Coordinates of all heavy atoms in Angstrom, one line a residue:
W42 N 48.1 16.2 -37.1 CA 48.2 15.4 -38.3 C 47.1 14.5 -38.5 O 46.4 14.4 -39.6 CB 49.5 14.6 -38.3 CG 50.7 15.4 -38.8 CD1 51.6 16.1 -38.1 CD2 51.0 15.7 -40.2 NE1 52.5 16.7 -38.9 CE2 52.2 16.5 -40.2 CE3 50.5 15.3 -41.4 CZ2 52.8 16.9 -41.4 CZ3 51.1 15.7 -42.6 CH2 52.2 16.5 -42.5
F43 N 46.8 13.7 -37.5 CA 45.8 12.6 -37.6 C 44.4 13.2 -37.7 O 43.5 12.8 -38.5 CB 45.8 11.6 -36.5 CG 47.1 10.8 -36.5 CD1 47.8 10.6 -35.3 CD2 47.6 10.3 -37.6 CE1 49.0 9.9 -35.3 CE2 48.8 9.5 -37.6 CZ 49.5 9.3 -36.5
G44 N 44.1 14.3 -36.9 CA 42.8 14.9 -37.0 C 42.5 15.6 -38.3 O 41.4 15.5 -38.9
A45 N 43.5 16.2 -38.9 CA 43.4 16.9 -40.2 C 43.1 15.9 -41.3 O 42.2 16.0 -42.1 CB 44.6 17.7 -40.6
F46 N 43.8 14.8 -41.3 CA 43.6 13.8 -42.4 C 42.3 13.0 -42.2 O 41.6 12.6 -43.1 CB 44.8 12.8 -42.5 CG 45.9 13.4 -43.4 CD1 46.8 14.3 -42.9 CD2 46.0 12.9 -44.7 CE1 47.7 14.8 -43.8 CE2 46.9 13.4 -45.6 CZ 47.8 14.4 -45.1
Q47 N 41.9 12.8 -40.9 CA 40.6 12.1 -40.7 C 39.5 13.0 -41.0 O 38.4 12.5 -41.3 CB 40.5 11.7 -39.2 CG 41.4 10.5 -38.8 CD 40.9 9.2 -39.3 OE1 40.0 9.1 -40.1 NE2 41.5 8.1 -38.9
A48 N 39.7 14.3 -41.1 CA 38.6 15.2 -41.6 C 38.7 15.4 -43.1 O 37.6 15.4 -43.7 CB 38.8 16.6 -40.9
L49 N 39.8 15.4 -43.7 CA 39.9 15.6 -45.1 C 39.5 14.4 -45.9 O 38.9 14.5 -47.0 CB 41.4 16.0 -45.5 CG 41.8 17.4 -45.1 CD1 43.3 17.6 -45.4 CD2 41.0 18.5 -45.8
M50 N 39.9 13.2 -45.5 CA 39.6 12.0 -46.2 C 38.1 11.7 -46.4 O 37.6 11.4 -47.5 CB 40.3 10.8 -45.6 CG 41.8 10.9 -45.9 SD 42.2 10.9 -47.6 CE 43.5 9.7 -47.6
P51 N 37.2 11.9 -45.3 CA 35.8 11.6 -45.5 C 35.2 12.7 -46.5 O 34.3 12.4 -47.2 CB 35.2 11.7 -44.2 CG 36.2 12.0 -43.2 CD 37.5 12.0 -43.9
L52 N 35.8 13.9 -46.4 CA 35.3 15.0 -47.3 C 35.6 14.6 -48.8 O 34.7 14.7 -49.6 CB 35.9 16.3 -47.0 CG 35.4 17.5 -47.8 CD1 33.9 17.7 -47.7 CD2 36.2 18.7 -47.4
A53 N 36.8 14.1 -49.0 CA 37.1 13.6 -50.4 C 36.3 12.4 -50.8 O 35.8 12.4 -51.9 CB 38.6 13.2 -50.4
G54 N 36.0 11.5 -49.9 CA 35.2 10.4 -50.2 C 33.7 10.8 -50.4 O 33.1 10.3 -51.3
W55 N 33.2 11.8 -49.7 CA 31.9 12.3 -49.9 C 31.8 12.9 -51.3 O 30.8 12.7 -52.0 CB 31.5 13.3 -48.8 CG 30.2 13.9 -48.9 CD1 29.0 13.3 -48.5 CD2 29.9 15.1 -49.5 NE1 28.0 14.2 -48.8 CE2 28.5 15.3 -49.4 CE3 30.6 16.1 -50.1 CZ2 27.8 16.4 -49.9 CZ3 29.9 17.3 -50.6 CH2 28.6 17.4 -50.4
L56 N 32.8 13.7 -51.7 CA 32.8 14.3 -53.0 C 32.8 13.3 -54.1 O 32.1 13.4 -55.1 CB 34.0 15.2 -53.2 CG 34.0 16.5 -52.3 CD1 35.3 17.2 -52.4 CD2 32.8 17.4 -52.8
L57 N 33.6 12.2 -53.9 CA 33.5 11.1 -54.9 C 32.2 10.4 -54.9 O 31.6 10.1 -56.0 CB 34.6 10.1 -54.6 CG 36.1 10.5 -54.9 CD1 37.0 9.4 -54.3 CD2 36.2 10.5 -56.4
G58 N 31.7 10.1 -53.7 CA 30.4 9.4 -53.6 C 29.2 10.2 -54.2 O 28.4 9.6 -54.8
T59 N 29.2 11.5 -54.1 CA 28.1 12.3 -54.7 C 28.2 12.2 -56.2 O 27.1 12.3 -56.8 CB 28.1 13.7 -54.2 OG1 29.4 14.3 -54.4 CG2 27.8 13.8 -52.7
R60 N 29.3 12.0 -56.7 CA 29.5 11.9 -58.2 C 28.8 10.6 -58.7 O 28.3 10.6 -59.8 CB 30.9 11.9 -58.6 CG 31.6 13.2 -58.4 CD 31.4 14.0 -59.6 NE 32.3 15.2 -59.6 CZ 31.9 16.4 -60.0 NH1 30.7 16.6 -60.4 NH2 32.8 17.3 -60.0
F61 N 28.9 9.6 -57.9 CA 28.5 8.3 -58.4 C 27.1 7.8 -57.7 O 26.7 6.8 -58.0 CB 29.5 7.2 -58.1 CG 30.8 7.5 -58.8 CD1 31.9 7.9 -58.1 CD2 30.9 7.4 -60.2 CE1 33.1 8.2 -58.7 CE2 32.1 7.6 -60.8 CZ 33.2 8.1 -60.1
E62 N 26.6 8.7 -56.9 CA 25.4 8.4 -56.2 C 24.2 7.9 -57.1 O 23.5 6.9 -56.8 CB 24.9 9.6 -55.3 CG 23.7 9.3 -54.5 CD 23.3 10.6 -53.8 OE1 23.8 11.6 -54.0 OE2 22.3 10.5 -53.0
G63 N 24.0 8.6 -58.2 CA 22.9 8.3 -59.1 C 23.0 6.9 -59.7 O 22.1 6.3 -60.1
L64 N 24.3 6.5 -59.9 CA 24.5 5.2 -60.5 C 24.2 4.0 -59.6 O 23.8 2.9 -60.1 CB 26.0 5.1 -61.0 CG 26.4 6.1 -62.0 CD1 27.9 6.0 -62.2 CD2 25.7 6.0 -63.3
I65 N 24.3 4.2 -58.3 CA 24.1 3.0 -57.4 C 23.1 3.3 -56.3 O 23.1 2.6 -55.3 CB 25.4 2.6 -56.8 CG1 26.1 3.7 -56.0 CG2 26.4 2.0 -57.9 CD1 27.3 3.2 -55.3
T66 N 22.1 4.2 -56.5 CA 21.1 4.5 -55.5 C 20.4 3.3 -55.0 O 20.1 3.2 -53.8 CB 20.1 5.5 -56.1 OG1 20.9 6.7 -56.5 CG2 19.1 5.9 -55.1
N67 N 20.1 2.3 -55.9 CA 19.3 1.2 -55.5 C 20.1 0.2 -54.5 O 19.5 -0.6 -53.8 CB 18.9 0.4 -56.7 CG 17.9 1.1 -57.5 OD1 17.2 2.0 -57.0 ND2 17.8 0.9 -58.8
V68 N 21.4 0.3 -54.5 CA 22.2 -0.6 -53.7 C 23.1 0.1 -52.7 O 24.0 -0.4 -52.2 CB 23.1 -1.6 -54.6 CG1 22.2 -2.5 -55.4 CG2 24.0 -0.8 -55.5
D69 N 22.8 1.4 -52.5 CA 23.7 2.2 -51.7 C 23.8 1.7 -50.3 O 24.9 1.7 -49.7 CB 23.3 3.7 -51.7 CG 21.9 3.9 -51.2 OD1 21.2 2.9 -50.8 OD2 21.5 5.1 -51.1
H70 N 22.8 1.1 -49.7 CA 22.8 0.6 -48.4 C 23.7 -0.7 -48.3 O 24.4 -0.9 -47.3 CB 21.4 0.2 -47.8 CG 20.6 -0.6 -48.7 ND1 20.0 -0.2 -49.8 CD2 20.4 -1.9 -48.6 CE1 19.4 -1.1 -50.4 NE2 19.6 -2.2 -49.7
W71 N 23.8 -1.4 -49.4 CA 24.7 -2.6 -49.5 C 26.1 -2.1 -49.6 O 27.0 -2.7 -49.0 CB 24.3 -3.5 -50.6 CG 23.1 -4.3 -50.4 CD1 21.8 -4.0 -50.9 CD2 22.9 -5.4 -49.5 NE1 20.9 -5.0 -50.4 CE2 21.6 -5.8 -49.6 CE3 23.8 -6.2 -48.8 CZ2 21.1 -6.9 -48.9 CZ3 23.3 -7.3 -48.1 CH2 22.0 -7.6 -48.1
V72 N 26.3 -1.1 -50.3 CA 27.7 -0.5 -50.5 C 28.2 0.0 -49.1 O 29.3 -0.3 -48.7 CB 27.8 0.6 -51.6 CG1 29.1 1.3 -51.6 CG2 27.4 0.0 -52.9
A73 N 27.3 0.7 -48.4 CA 27.7 1.2 -47.1 C 28.0 0.1 -46.1 O 29.0 0.1 -45.4 CB 26.6 2.1 -46.5
F74 N 27.1 -0.9 -46.2 CA 27.3 -2.1 -45.3 C 28.7 -2.8 -45.6 O 29.5 -3.0 -44.7 CB 26.2 -3.1 -45.5 CG 26.4 -4.4 -44.9 CD1 26.3 -4.6 -43.5 CD2 26.6 -5.5 -45.7 CE1 26.5 -5.8 -42.9 CE2 26.8 -6.8 -45.1 CZ 26.8 -6.9 -43.7
V75 N 28.9 -3.1 -46.9 CA 30.2 -3.8 -47.3 C 31.4 -3.0 -46.9 O 32.4 -3.5 -46.3 CB 30.1 -4.1 -48.8 CG1 31.5 -4.6 -49.2 CG2 29.1 -5.2 -49.0
L76 N 31.4 -1.6 -47.2 CA 32.6 -0.8 -46.9 C 32.8 -0.8 -45.4 O 34.0 -1.0 -45.0 CB 32.3 0.6 -47.4 CG 32.5 0.8 -48.9 CD1 32.1 2.3 -49.3 CD2 33.9 0.5 -49.4
L77 N 31.8 -0.6 -44.6 CA 32.0 -0.5 -43.1 C 32.4 -1.8 -42.5 O 33.3 -1.9 -41.7 CB 30.8 0.0 -42.4 CG 30.5 1.5 -42.7 CD1 29.1 1.9 -42.1 CD2 31.6 2.4 -42.1
V78 N 31.9 -2.9 -43.0 CA 32.2 -4.3 -42.5 C 33.7 -4.6 -42.9 O 34.5 -5.1 -42.1 CB 31.2 -5.3 -43.0 CG1 31.8 -6.7 -42.7 CG2 29.9 -5.1 -42.3
L79 N 34.1 -4.3 -44.2 CA 35.4 -4.5 -44.6 C 36.4 -3.7 -43.8 O 37.5 -4.2 -43.3 CB 35.6 -4.2 -46.1 CG 35.0 -5.2 -47.1 CD1 35.1 -4.7 -48.5 CD2 35.6 -6.6 -46.9
I80 N 36.2 -2.4 -43.6 CA 37.0 -1.6 -42.8 C 37.1 -2.1 -41.4 O 38.2 -2.2 -40.8 CB 36.6 -0.1 -42.8 CG1 36.7 0.5 -44.2 CG2 37.4 0.8 -41.8 CD1 35.9 1.8 -44.4
G81 N 36.0 -2.3 -40.8 CA 35.9 -2.8 -39.4 C 36.6 -4.2 -39.3 O 37.4 -4.4 -38.3
G82 N 36.4 -5.1 -40.2 CA 37.0 -6.4 -40.2 C 38.5 -6.3 -40.3 O 39.3 -7.0 -39.6
N83 N 39.0 -5.4 -41.1 CA 40.5 -5.2 -41.2 C 41.0 -4.6 -39.9 O 42.1 -5.1 -39.5 CB 40.8 -4.2 -42.4 CG 42.2 -4.1 -42.7 OD1 42.9 -5.1 -42.8 ND2 42.7 -2.9 -42.8
M84 N 40.3 -3.7 -39.3 CA 40.8 -3.2 -38.0 C 40.8 -4.3 -36.9 O 41.7 -4.4 -36.1 CB 39.9 -2.0 -37.5 CG 40.1 -0.8 -38.3 SD 39.0 0.6 -37.8 CE 39.7 1.0 -36.2
V85 N 39.8 -5.2 -36.9 CA 39.8 -6.3 -36.0 C 41.0 -7.2 -36.2 O 41.7 -7.6 -35.3 CB 38.4 -7.1 -36.1 CG1 38.5 -8.4 -35.3 CG2 37.3 -6.2 -35.5
K86 N 41.2 -7.5 -37.5 CA 42.4 -8.3 -37.9 C 43.7 -7.7 -37.4 O 44.6 -8.4 -36.8 CB 42.4 -8.6 -39.4 CG 43.4 -9.5 -39.8 CD 43.3 -9.7 -41.3 CE 44.6 -9.2 -41.9 NZ 44.6 -9.1 -43.4
E87 N 43.8 -6.4 -37.6 CA 45.1 -5.7 -37.3 C 45.2 -5.6 -35.8 O 46.4 -5.4 -35.3 CB 45.1 -4.3 -37.9 CG 45.3 -4.3 -39.4 CD 45.2 -2.9 -39.9 OE1 45.0 -1.9 -39.2 OE2 45.4 -2.7 -41.2
S88 N 44.2 -5.7 -35.0 CA 44.2 -5.6 -33.6 C 45.0 -6.7 -32.9 O 45.5 -6.7 -31.8 CB 42.9 -5.5 -32.9 OG 42.2 -6.8 -33.0
R89 N 45.2 -7.8 -33.7 CA 45.9 -9.0 -33.2 C 47.4 -8.8 -33.3 O 48.2 -9.6 -32.7 CB 45.5 -10.2 -33.9 CG 44.0 -10.5 -33.6 CD 43.6 -11.8 -34.3 NE 42.2 -12.0 -34.0 CZ 41.3 -12.4 -34.9 NH1 41.7 -12.7 -36.1 NH2 40.1 -12.6 -34.6
G90 N 47.9 -7.8 -34.1 CA 49.3 -7.6 -34.2 C 49.9 -6.8 -33.1 O 49.2 -6.2 -32.3
A91 N 51.2 -6.8 -33.1 CA 51.9 -6.0 -32.0 C 52.1 -4.6 -32.5 O 51.9 -4.2 -33.6 CB 53.3 -6.7 -31.8
C92 N 52.4 -3.8 -31.5 CA 52.7 -2.3 -31.8 C 53.9 -2.2 -32.8 O 54.9 -2.8 -32.5 CB 53.0 -1.6 -30.5 SG 52.9 0.2 -30.6
E93 N 53.7 -1.5 -33.9 CA 54.7 -1.4 -34.8 C 55.9 -0.5 -34.2 O 55.6 0.4 -33.5 CB 54.2 -0.7 -36.1 CG 53.1 -1.4 -36.8 CD 52.5 -0.6 -37.9 OE1 53.2 0.3 -38.4 OE2 51.4 -0.9 -38.3
A94 N 57.1 -0.8 -34.6 CA 58.2 0.0 -34.2 C 58.2 1.3 -35.0 O 58.4 1.2 -36.2 CB 59.5 -0.8 -34.4
L95 N 58.0 2.4 -34.4 CA 58.0 3.7 -35.0 C 59.2 4.5 -34.5 O 59.5 4.4 -33.3 CB 56.7 4.4 -34.8 CG 55.4 3.8 -35.2 CD1 54.2 4.6 -34.8 CD2 55.4 3.6 -36.7
D96 N 59.7 5.4 -35.4 CA 60.7 6.2 -34.9 C 60.2 7.4 -34.0 O 59.0 7.6 -34.1 CB 61.6 6.8 -36.0 CG 60.9 7.7 -37.0 OD1 59.8 8.2 -36.6 OD2 61.4 7.9 -38.1
A97 N 61.0 8.0 -33.3 CA 60.5 9.1 -32.4 C 60.3 10.4 -33.1 O 59.9 11.4 -32.4 CB 61.6 9.2 -31.3
S98 N 60.5 10.5 -34.4 CA 60.3 11.7 -35.1 C 58.9 12.1 -35.3 O 58.0 11.3 -35.6 CB 61.0 11.6 -36.5 OG 60.8 12.8 -37.2
F99 N 58.6 13.4 -35.1 CA 57.3 14.0 -35.4 C 57.4 14.9 -36.6 O 56.5 15.8 -36.7 CB 56.7 14.7 -34.1 CG 56.2 13.7 -33.1 CD1 57.1 13.1 -32.2 CD2 54.9 13.4 -33.0 CE1 56.6 12.2 -31.3 CE2 54.4 12.5 -32.1 CZ 55.3 11.9 -31.2
A100 N 58.4 14.8 -37.4 CA 58.6 15.6 -38.6 C 57.6 15.2 -39.7 O 57.0 14.1 -39.6 CB 60.0 15.5 -39.1
V101 N 57.5 16.1 -40.7 CA 56.6 15.8 -41.8 C 56.8 14.5 -42.4 O 55.9 13.7 -42.7 CB 56.7 17.0 -42.8 CG1 55.9 16.6 -44.1 CG2 56.3 18.3 -42.2
R102 N 58.1 14.1 -42.7 CA 58.4 12.9 -43.3 C 58.0 11.6 -42.6 O 57.8 10.6 -43.1 CB 59.9 12.8 -43.7 CG 60.8 12.7 -42.5 CD 62.3 12.5 -42.9 NE 63.3 12.6 -41.9 CZ 63.3 12.4 -40.6 NH1 62.2 12.0 -40.1 NH2 64.3 12.5 -39.9
A103 N 57.9 11.8 -41.2 CA 57.4 10.7 -40.4 C 55.9 10.7 -40.2 O 55.3 9.6 -40.3 CB 58.1 10.8 -39.0
M104 N 55.3 11.9 -40.1 CA 53.9 11.9 -39.8 C 53.0 11.8 -41.0 O 51.9 11.3 -40.9 CB 53.6 13.2 -39.0 CG 54.3 13.3 -37.6 SD 53.9 11.9 -36.5 CE 52.1 12.2 -36.3
F105 N 53.4 12.4 -42.1 CA 52.6 12.3 -43.3 C 52.2 10.9 -43.7 O 51.0 10.7 -43.9 CB 53.3 13.1 -44.5 CG 52.5 13.1 -45.7 CD1 51.4 13.9 -45.9 CD2 52.8 12.2 -46.8 CE1 50.6 13.9 -47.0 CE2 52.0 12.2 -47.9 CZ 50.9 13.1 -48.1
P106 N 53.1 10.0 -43.9 CA 52.7 8.6 -44.3 C 51.8 8.0 -43.2 O 50.8 7.2 -43.6 CB 53.9 7.8 -44.5 CG 55.1 8.7 -44.2 CD 54.5 10.1 -43.8
L107 N 52.0 8.2 -41.9 CA 51.2 7.7 -40.9 C 49.8 8.3 -40.9 O 48.8 7.5 -40.8 CB 51.8 7.9 -39.5 CG 53.1 7.2 -39.2 CD1 53.7 7.7 -37.9 CD2 52.9 5.7 -39.2
A108 N 49.7 9.6 -41.2 CA 48.4 10.2 -41.3 C 47.6 9.7 -42.5 O 46.4 9.4 -42.3 CB 48.5 11.7 -41.3
V109 N 48.2 9.5 -43.6 CA 47.5 8.9 -44.8 C 47.1 7.5 -44.5 O 45.9 7.1 -44.7 CB 48.4 9.0 -46.0 CG1 47.8 8.3 -47.2 CG2 48.7 10.5 -46.4
A110 N 48.0 6.7 -44.0 CA 47.7 5.3 -43.7 C 46.5 5.1 -42.7 O 45.7 4.2 -42.9 CB 48.9 4.6 -43.2
T111 N 46.5 5.9 -41.7 CA 45.4 5.8 -40.7 C 44.1 6.4 -41.2 O 43.1 6.1 -40.5 CB 45.8 6.4 -39.4 OG1 46.1 7.8 -39.5 CG2 47.0 5.7 -38.8
S112 N 44.1 7.1 -42.3 CA 42.8 7.8 -42.7 C 42.3 7.2 -44.0 O 41.2 7.7 -44.4 CB 43.1 9.3 -42.8 OG 44.0 9.5 -43.8
I113 N 42.9 6.2 -44.6 CA 42.3 5.6 -45.8 C 40.9 5.1 -45.5 O 40.0 5.3 -46.4 CB 43.2 4.5 -46.3 CG1 44.6 5.1 -46.8 CG2 42.6 3.7 -47.4 CD1 44.5 6.0 -48.0
D114 N 40.7 4.5 -44.4 CA 39.3 4.0 -44.1 C 38.3 5.1 -44.0 O 37.1 5.0 -44.3 CB 39.3 3.2 -42.8 CG 39.9 3.9 -41.6 OD1 40.5 5.0 -41.8 OD2 39.8 3.3 -40.5
A115 N 38.7 6.3 -43.6 CA 37.8 7.5 -43.6 C 37.4 7.9 -44.9 O 36.3 8.4 -45.1 CB 38.5 8.6 -42.8
L116 N 38.2 7.7 -46.0 CA 37.8 7.9 -47.3 C 36.6 7.1 -47.7 O 35.6 7.6 -48.3 CB 39.0 7.7 -48.3 CG 38.8 7.9 -49.8 CD1 38.7 9.4 -50.0 CD2 39.9 7.3 -50.6
A117 N 36.6 5.8 -47.4 CA 35.5 4.9 -47.7 C 34.3 5.3 -46.9 O 33.2 5.3 -47.4 CB 35.9 3.5 -47.4
V118 N 34.5 5.8 -45.6 CA 33.3 6.2 -44.8 C 32.7 7.5 -45.5 O 31.5 7.6 -45.5 CB 33.7 6.4 -43.4 CG1 32.7 7.2 -42.6 CG2 34.1 5.1 -42.7
G119 N 33.5 8.3 -46.0 CA 33.0 9.5 -46.7 C 32.2 9.1 -47.9 O 31.1 9.8 -48.1
V120 N 32.5 8.1 -48.6 CA 31.7 7.6 -49.7 C 30.4 7.1 -49.1 O 29.3 7.4 -49.7 CB 32.4 6.5 -50.5 CG1 31.5 5.8 -51.5 CG2 33.6 7.0 -51.2
T121 N 30.4 6.5 -48.0 CA 29.2 6.0 -47.3 C 28.3 7.2 -46.9 O 27.1 7.1 -47.1 CB 29.6 5.2 -46.1 OG1 30.4 4.0 -46.5 CG2 28.3 4.7 -45.4
F122 N 28.9 8.3 -46.5 CA 28.2 9.5 -46.1 C 27.4 10.0 -47.3 O 26.3 10.5 -47.1 CB 29.1 10.5 -45.6 CG 29.6 10.4 -44.1 CD1 30.5 11.2 -43.6 CD2 29.1 9.3 -43.3 CE1 31.0 11.0 -42.3 CE2 29.5 9.2 -42.0 CZ 30.4 10.0 -41.5
A123 N 28.0 10.0 -48.5 CA 27.3 10.4 -49.7 C 26.1 9.6 -49.9 O 25.0 10.1 -50.3 CB 28.3 10.4 -50.9
F124 N 26.2 8.3 -49.8 CA 25.1 7.4 -50.1 C 24.0 7.6 -49.0 O 22.8 7.4 -49.3 CB 25.5 6.0 -50.1 CG 26.5 5.7 -51.2 CD1 27.4 4.7 -51.1 CD2 26.5 6.4 -52.4 CE1 28.4 4.4 -52.1 CE2 27.5 6.2 -53.4 CZ 28.4 5.2 -53.2

Side-chain angles (χ1 to χ4, degrees):
W42 274 100
F43 295 135
F46 273 79
Q47 287 286 9
L49 290 173
M50 290 298 226
L52 181 59
W55 180 82
L56 290 170
L57 285 171
T59 56
R60 292 273 194 221
F61 301 107
E62 179 184 10
L64 300 173
I65 59 172
T66 300
N67 293 333
V68 294
D69 59 358
H70 54 283
W71 286 102
V72 172
F74 168 74
V75 168
L76 286 174
L77 290 172
V78 167
L79 287 174
I80 294 165
N83 190 48
M84 287 176 71
V85 168
K86 185 177 118 191
E87 287 177 359
S88 73
R89 295 183 183 139
C92 195
E93 299 173 22
L95 299 176
D96 66 15
S98 173
F99 284 81
V101 172
R102 67 174 169 31
M104 295 304 294
F105 179 76
L107 293 174
V109 171
T111 59
S112 63
I113 293 296
D114 52 353
L116 182 72
V118 169
V120 172
T121 301
F122 283 173
F124 300 150

